[in-house]
């Protein structure tokens, strides 16, 4: 579904991505893991065509209209209601009026439909951003830190939603620095450190590979072992 | 294309309607203009009726909209909202078109309100005011877009927008108030100093529309440059379409203004005209008591007719055929020599006096054909010829010392119509130049 070959990117002198290569299969939840500054956001920007790579190639088996996006900064209109926010995109996608109500229903915001975004909690905003991303039933969904800074209960809800969306047939590409989230949610992950992939595969398989470690071989410890850096730095 | 523009337009319209900070700015200027013009008696002699309307119109178009557009765009960039639109396939020119369209609607509504407020304007004058304001609004929207697109965040947009708005609205205002030559020379070329109000002459109006259009073009070019740069930085291809639209708009607009100029250069028109004649004062012929003097105002007299006597002196006779328009004495009154006892209008010299603006006067010559409408006769059009052009301008009546001066032009009607009893009635003239 997504094919990334030897992608390179520099900002001035600083090398942000070096020879990044991986593949995302159809209908899987794929996790891009790494601490802040590892190049996750740059990679998601390249994949969503907001940035050009300096070298290598990316191929996504979906048109921009078949792509959904949820970023850390949600870009919602604070003065407009939930419905009005979604209606902007519904109209751009030329979809019937019911689509908005359905998307709000899907993320459990039906009752807040008439509330202005400025009156929503952080978790509700995240869910609304997700509703906007899935409004047009995209084939590929990019989620940048979908549960960043959310309380455990809201995170739980978002996880359920992501799984449901995948079960409905979408391919999901998400970034996170939360290893538990990755293990629980992702079919496969890549670990990114300073713009390079240090490990990739199924989360449990990765842990298995490193079981000779002295500490419990969870993804966080694997990361520390391989890079000497803490994921949460 | 249409979907995206309509979606952005709807979103921006709803957003403005919910944003009282912005909405109140759009309302306060027309309201202030109305209050200052109609509810408060400013009582400043010679001040044009539309003074406050033009002043607040400048602030409305300049201050309110440059800031509003700049902030709206900067907010969408800062909050990441624009990124989501672009990701959803909206082209940046579609975004700007939809967003700018909403502000243009608000400018058009405001312009209509300002134009309708002008106390003594004809429908044409109101329309020209509306047109000059609405066109100026386009320049403001473009300036706002430039500021919005180049600002890192809302704060920066507010700062720059206020700065630009201040210069653009208050510059012309200061120039007019101070009558400072340097300021006037500079701000003449700002669109906010070129609203066409009821005191603007035809020639000035053509120049004003030209300047407004030049402003729009200049800012559109800066915009296209900034836009191209931004598009490149974002990694997308430059939208050549957007630049093409600007060029097409420029060509169409240029053709429009040229056509307008061509059409308006074709005639001089003014409704500052009236039926006039020479008046003849009748002096007392000697010192003494006025005898057999019974003239009534409006009474018809013929040349040589005896108007009365002064005791022990010659008869007073009318030198012309005409009407008595004033009497200054009554029978039995004591008068002294040369004291005016009555004023007679000369019926043989009844003509139309049209006061033509100094900028137009060089196009007027003796013998030129003129069409005249006289209020008494409604829309009936009379024909006439220019019979004489005044050698000096009428004293200025404007508030500003550099007010446009008027030169009286005498027009004789070639149609046979008796205007002797209509002295002073208002008229309007139309002088074809081709």
């Amino acid at each position: 579904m997504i094919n990334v070959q030897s992608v390179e990117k520099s900002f001035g002198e600083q090398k942000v991505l070096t020879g990044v290569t991986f593949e995302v299969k159809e209908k899987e939840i794929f996790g891009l893991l790494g601490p802040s500054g590892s190049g996750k956001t740059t990679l998601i920007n390249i994949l969503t065509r907001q940035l050009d790579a300096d070298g290598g190639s990316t191929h996504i088996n979906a048109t921009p209209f078949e792509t959904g996006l949820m970023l850390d900064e949600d870009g919602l209109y604070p003065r407009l209601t939930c419905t009005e926010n979604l209606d902007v995109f519904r109209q751009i996608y030329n979809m019937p009026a019911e689509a908005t109500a359905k998307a709000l229903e899907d993320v459990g915001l039906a009752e807040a439909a008439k509330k202005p975004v400025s009156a929503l909690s952080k978790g509700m905003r995240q869910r609304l951003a997700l509703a906007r991303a899935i409004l047009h039933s995209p084939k590929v969904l990019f989620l940048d830190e979908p549960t960043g800074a959310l309380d455990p209960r809201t995170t739980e809800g978002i996880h359920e939603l992501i799984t449901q969306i995948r079960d409905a047939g979408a391919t999901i590409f998400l970034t996170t620095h939360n290893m538990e989230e990755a293990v629980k949610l992702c079919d496969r992950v890549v670990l990114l450190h300073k713009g390079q992939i240090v490990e990739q595969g199924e989360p449990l398989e990765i842990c298995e590979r490193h079981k000779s470690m002295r500490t419990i071989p969870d993804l966080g410890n694997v990361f520390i072992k391989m890079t000497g850096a803490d994921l949460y730095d | 294309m249409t979907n995206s523009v309509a979606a952005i337009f709807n979103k921006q319209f709803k957003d403005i309607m919910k944003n009282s900070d912005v909405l109140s700015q759009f309302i306060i200027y027309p309201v202030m203009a109305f209050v200052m013009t109609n509810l408060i008696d400013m009582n400043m002699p010679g001040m044009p009726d539309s003074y406050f309307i033009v002043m607040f119109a400048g602030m409305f178009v300049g201050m309110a909209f440059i800031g509003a557009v700049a902030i709206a765009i900067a907010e969408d960039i800062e909050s990441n909202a624009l990124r989501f639109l672009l990701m959803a396939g909206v082209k940046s020119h579609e975004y700007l078109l939809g967003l700018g369209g909403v502000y243009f609607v608000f400018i058009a509504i405001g312009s209509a309100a300002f134009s309708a407020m002008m106390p003594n304007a004809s429908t044409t004058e109101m329309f020209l005011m509306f047109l000059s304001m609405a066109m100026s609004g386009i320049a403001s929207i473009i300036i706002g877009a430039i500021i919005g697109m180049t600002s890192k965040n809302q704060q920066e947009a507010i700062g720059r927008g206020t700065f630009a708005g201040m210069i653009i609205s208050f510059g012309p205002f200061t120039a007019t108030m101070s009558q400072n030559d340097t300021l006037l020379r500079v701000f003449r070329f700002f669109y906010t100093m070129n609203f066409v109000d009821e005191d603007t002459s035809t020639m000035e109006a053509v120049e004003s529309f030209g300047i407004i259009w030049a402003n729009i073009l200049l800012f559109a070019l800066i915009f296209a440059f900034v836009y191209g740069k931004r598009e490149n930085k974002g990694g997308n291809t430059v939208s050549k379409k957007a630049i093409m639209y600007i060029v097409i708009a420029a060509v169409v607009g240029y053709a429009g203004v040229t056509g307008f100029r061509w059409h308006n250069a074709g005639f001089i028109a003014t409704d500052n005209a009236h039926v006039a004649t020479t008046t003849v004062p009748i002096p007392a012929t000697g010192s003494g008591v006025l005898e057999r003097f019974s003239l009534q105002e409006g009474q018809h007299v013929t040349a040589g007719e005896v108007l009365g006597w002064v005791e022990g002196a010659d008869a007073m006779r009318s030198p012309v055929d005409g009407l008595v328009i004033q009497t200054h004495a009554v029978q039995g009154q004591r008068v002294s020599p040369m004291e005016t006892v009555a004023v007679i209008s000369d019926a043989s010299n009844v003509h139309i006096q049209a006061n033509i603006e100094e900028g137009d006067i060089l196009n007027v010559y003796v013998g030129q054909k003129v069409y005249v409408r006289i209020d008494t006769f409604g829309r009936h059009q009379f024909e006439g010829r220019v019979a004489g052009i005044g050698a000096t301008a009428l004293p200025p009546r404007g508030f500003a010392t550099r007010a446009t001066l008027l030169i009286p032009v005498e027009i004789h009607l070639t149609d046979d119509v008796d205007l002797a009893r209509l002295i002073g009635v208002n008229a309007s003239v139309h002088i074809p130049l081709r």
Side-chain angles (χ1 to χ4, degrees):
Chain A
M1 196 69 187
I2 302 174
N3 201 331
V4 178
Q5 282 291 332
S6 330
V7 164
E8 310 271 333
K9 181 72 190 178
S10 304
F11 291 119
E13 290 292 291
Q14 201 193 345
K15 194 102 179 154
V16 189
L17 293 175
T18 314
V20 173
T21 302
F22 62 86
E23 198 184 343
V24 180
K25 294 183 191 119
E26 208 167 314
K27 292 181 193 171
E28 75 177 351
I29 300 179
F30 188 89
L32 181 62
L33 276 80
S36 311
S38 58
K40 293 185 311 245
T41 302
T42 306
L43 189 56
I44 228 175
N45 284 347
I46 290 173
L47 288 174
T48 54
R49 301 181 183 85
Q50 299 177 74
L51 265 182
D52 284 336
D54 297 337
S57 69
T58 58
H59 179 76
I60 298 168
N61 202 5
T63 63
F65 278 104
E66 293 167 335
T67 309
L69 178 68
M70 176 184 174
L71 297 176
D72 195 19
E73 275 183 71
D74 57 31
L76 295 165
Y77 301 112
R79 287 175 291 271
L80 301 190
T81 64
C82 295
T83 303
E84 286 166 340
N85 262 279
L86 295 193
D87 273 345
V88 175
F89 289 82
R90 181 184 60 73
Q91 209 175 346
I92 291 169
Y93 295 128
N94 200 15
M95 297 171 72
E98 306 85 69
T100 296
K102 188 182 172 299
L104 286 175
E105 185 89 30
D106 286 349
V107 299
L109 280 179
E111 275 167 30
K114 289 201 166 66
K115 271 193 185 174
V117 167
S118 56
L120 300 183
S121 68
K122 175 83 180 142
M124 288 165 101
R125 273 183 85 129
Q126 290 277 77
R127 280 190 277 160
L128 183 58
L130 192 58
R132 185 185 52 195
I134 59 168
L135 178 70
H136 54 306
S137 315
K139 274 164 75 179
V140 180
L141 194 55
F142 291 97
L143 308 172
D144 191 8
E145 301 280 353
T147 57
L150 286 189
D151 61 88
R153 220 161 119 204
T154 318
T155 302
E156 187 69 25
I158 300 256
H159 284 171
E160 270 173 40
L161 262 170
I162 292 174
T163 315
Q164 279 169 23
I165 295 163
R166 191 269 311 273
D167 293 346
T171 306
I172 292 163
F173 181 99
L174 61 85
T175 70
T176 180
H177 61 261
N178 183 339
M179 292 299 146
E180 284 169 36
E181 177 167 285
V183 173
K184 189 173 153 231
L185 208 56
C186 299
D187 299 316
R188 287 191 312 126
V189 295
V190 298
L191 302 189
L192 199 64
H193 178 60
K194 291 187 178 168
Q196 284 179 301
I197 293 180
V198 292
E199 185 60 284
Q200 59 178 315
E202 289 173 27
L204 293 176
E205 177 204 12
I206 292 176
C207 296
E208 180 73 14
R209 225 181 283 158
H210 295 273
K211 67 181 176 191
S212 57
M213 281 170 62
R214 253 172 290 159
T215 48
I216 305 158
D218 68 10
L219 280 180
N221 289 329
V222 169
F223 193 85
I224 293 172
K225 181 196 160 202
M226 302 206 56
T227 64
D230 195 323
L231 269 173
Y232 298 94
D233 277 349
Chain B
M1 164 83 189
T2 341
N3 282 343
S4 301
V5 176
I8 310 293
F9 184 97
N10 285 343
K11 164 242 151 183
Q12 200 60 34
F13 182 76
K14 283 180 200 154
D15 196 58
I16 293 173
M17 296 308 283
K18 290 181 184 199
N19 194 339
S20 54
D21 294 343
V22 173
L23 211 54
S24 62
Q25 270 209 59
F26 294 167
I27 296 168
I28 190 71
Y29 295 111
V31 168
M32 282 304 289
F34 183 81
V35 169
M36 298 289 267
T37 307
N38 296 294
L39 302 183
I40 301 175
D41 182 8
M42 297 306 286
N43 198 18
M44 289 159 99
M47 189 169 68
D49 300 326
S50 306
Y51 183 75
F52 286 108
I53 293 169
V54 174
M55 179 179 136
F56 283 106
M59 294 189 208
F60 175 74
V61 171
M63 291 293 284
F65 285 92
I66 291 178
V69 173
I71 292 166
I73 293 177
E75 186 180 5
D76 278 359
I77 292 174
E78 192 183 1
S79 75
N80 239 354
L82 181 56
R83 254 170 101 179
F84 283 94
L85 293 175
L86 298 178
M87 280 299 302
V90 176
K91 300 278 176 290
S92 10
H93 66 265
E94 294 170 343
Y95 166 75
L96 291 165
L97 209 61
L99 186 123
V102 177
Y103 290 96
F104 185 73
V105 167
F106 280 98
I107 287 180
I109 294 170
S111 302
F114 274 105
S115 310
M117 271 183 228
M118 297 206 302
N120 301 314
S122 66
T123 320
T124 316
E125 285 162 342
M126 283 182 190
F127 177 71
L128 290 178
M129 174 70 175
F130 168 78
L131 200 65
S132 61
M133 271 188 81
M135 279 176 68
S136 295
I138 297 175
S140 281
I141 292 174
I142 298 174
I143 295 174
I146 294 170
I147 294 173
M149 289 192 326
T150 53
S151 298
K152 279 190 220 68
N153 50 44
Q154 277 192 77
Q155 282 306 316
E156 201 168 281
I158 291 170
R160 291 180 183 179
T162 310
F163 182 73
M166 279 284 182
I167 292 181
I168 282 163
S169 337
F170 284 100
F173 174 59
T174 314
T176 315
M177 286 300 277
S178 67
Q179 288 297 312
N180 176 301
D181 269 354
T182 317
L183 288 181
L184 281 170
R185 229 173 279 149
V186 171
F187 285 107
R188 227 186 107 217
F189 297 105
F190 278 55
Y191 61 91
T192 33
M193 201 162 173
N194 282 284
F195 296 140
V196 176
D197 69 357
E198 64 219 11
D199 293 331
T200 315
S201 73
T202 312
M203 284 302 169
E204 284 171 342
V206 173
E207 190 182 294
S208 286
F209 277 107
I211 290 175
I212 294 172
W213 189 248
N215 269 262
I216 294 177
L217 273 189
L218 173 73
F219 293 120
L221 280 175
I222 298 174
F223 172 82
F225 177 75
V226 170
Y227 181 85
K229 255 185 131 176
R230 196 186 151 73
E231 287 279 284
N232 278 329
K233 204 167 70 183
N236 297 323
T237 48
V238 181
S239 171
K240 294 206 174 66
K241 251 189 202 166
I243 294 172
M244 197 181 75
Y245 288 146
I246 294 171
V247 172
I248 291 173
V251 172
V252 170
Y254 182 75
V257 171
T258 312
F260 180 82
R261 177 188 280 259
W262 181 81
H263 179 252
N264 275 277
F267 64 85
I268 297 167
T270 180
D271 50 12
N272 187 347
H274 60 274
V275 180
T277 186
T278 332
T279 53
V280 185
I282 306 297
T285 43
S287 177
V289 175
L290 205 53
E291 289 179 345
R292 274 186 278 168
F293 181 81
S294 58
L295 290 182
Q296 300 291 317
E297 288 184 8
Q299 180 183 333
H300 188 264
V301 292
T302 50
E305 185 177 327
V306 173
L307 305 175
W309 280 266
V310 178
E311 180 188 15
D314 288 341
M316 296 179 297
R317 290 173 191 276
S318 172
V320 292
D321 282 350
L323 295 178
V324 177
I325 54 175
Q326 281 170 354
T327 57
H328 291 301
V330 291
Q331 183 168 309
Q333 182 186 330
R334 231 180 151 73
V335 292
S336 36
M338 302 314 287
E339 182 180 336
T340 300
V341 295
V343 180
I344 312 282
S345 69
D346 183 356
S348 67
N349 189 34
V350 176
H351 63 271
I352 304 293
Q353 182 187 326
N355 301 321
I356 303 292
E357 292 177 0
E358 52 188 338
D360 291 336
I361 199 68
L362 287 180
N363 293 314
V364 179
Y365 54 88
V366 172
Q368 202 168 13
K369 191 169 183 175
V370 182
Y371 295 97
V372 178
R373 281 196 178 122
I374 298 162
D375 286 9
T376 322
F377 297 99
R379 297 198 59 77
H380 182 80
Q381 194 161 267
F382 298 97
E383 285 185 21
R385 298 268 174 196
V386 173
I389 298 165
T392 53
L394 299 172
R397 70 182 170 94
F399 183 52
T401 51
R402 284 284 294 138
T404 305
L405 294 180
L406 301 171
I407 290 144
V409 167
E410 186 173 328
I411 295 157
H412 284 182
L413 295 190
T414 42
D415 286 331
D416 189 25
V417 54
D418 184 13
L419 301 177
R421 288 184 183 275
L422 299 176
I423 306 299
V425 168
N426 282 324
S428 58
V429 301
H430 180 104
I431 311 176
L433 297 182
R434 283 192 301 267

